[in-house]
Amino acid sequence: QVERVVARLSVNGAELGKSVQVARVHLSYSDVLADRAAEASAALAAEVTDREEEIASKQDKDVAVFAARARAAANVQKAADALARGDFAGANRTLRQNAAIFGAAAAVASPEAVAEDTMAQKKLEASFSAAPSAAPEQVQHEVKAAKSKALRDFGRMGSTY
């Protein structure tokens, strides 16, 4: 079983060119194949820099995409909640934030890496834009569909937390 944890961290570094410890993780678990207790540790450090091109070149492409999907899923949930309350403008405003999120991920990974996400986003925007003139039961259907899509397509890809 593989689990993935994606976190966005901001660290204040004291001095350019110096290394800063960002995180340290220790995991204790039962190794059922070896029938014994096991442990693993890892540490994450970052070098302090003010060079944007260096930062961009060292970003992990997969992490950028996974993080974008998680952030977009949160926005889809918020937009669906706003739509359910009848706040059509707020729902559309929140949903449109995802274009910038996927655009930033495309700049790091590639446009192809988020092409399907971008297409799904455009479909959601179209359905949300049509909501003010839709029947109430159609709006509720769109709310449920958006929440389901957020969980299925954006938020829970292969056990990403």
Side-chain angles (χ1 to χ4, degrees):
Q1 177 176 334
V2 175
E3 300 293 333
R4 180 182 296 121
V5 177
V6 178
R8 183 180 189 135
L9 304 172
S10 295
V11 179
N12 293 323
E15 193 175 336
L16 288 176
K18 297 291 182 181
S19 182
V20 174
Q21 183 173 321
V22 175
R24 181 175 299 279
V25 178
H26 181 81
L27 178 65
S28 298
Y29 61 97
S30 296
D31 184 336
V32 293
L33 295 177
D35 194 28
R36 63 178 169 84
E39 295 183 353
S41 295
L44 175 65
E47 183 179 327
V48 179
T49 184
D50 59 355
R51 296 185 4 219
E52 294 291 329
E53 66 278 358
E54 183 178 0
I55 295 167
S57 72
K58 293 187 177 180
Q59 286 184 317
D60 185 298
K61 293 171 179 33
D62 290 338
V63 170
V65 172
F66 292 134
R69 288 176 178 156
R71 291 174 62 205
N75 281 346
V76 170
Q77 290 282 351
K78 289 177 192 172
D81 289 340
L83 191 63
R85 292 190 310 273
D87 180 6
F88 301 116
N92 283 299
R93 191 171 40 253
T94 301
L95 196 58
R96 282 193 306 269
Q97 292 173 4
N98 288 353
I101 291 169
F102 288 129
V108 173
S110 75
E112 294 78 22
V114 292
E116 288 183 32
D117 302 291
T118 303
M119 290 300 295
Q121 173 68 23
K122 288 178 182 177
K123 288 178 183 175
L124 274 174
E125 287 177 11
S127 67
F128 274 44
S129 293
S133 61
E137 35 309 321
Q138 180 62 32
V139 172
Q140 288 308 310
H141 172 74
E142 293 299 335
V143 168
K144 289 178 184 178
K147 287 184 177 187
S148 174
K149 187 156 192 61
L151 290 174
R152 188 178 61 251
D153 292 349
F154 297 144
R156 306 259 166 111
M157 316 87 40
S159 296
T160 299
Y161 303 99

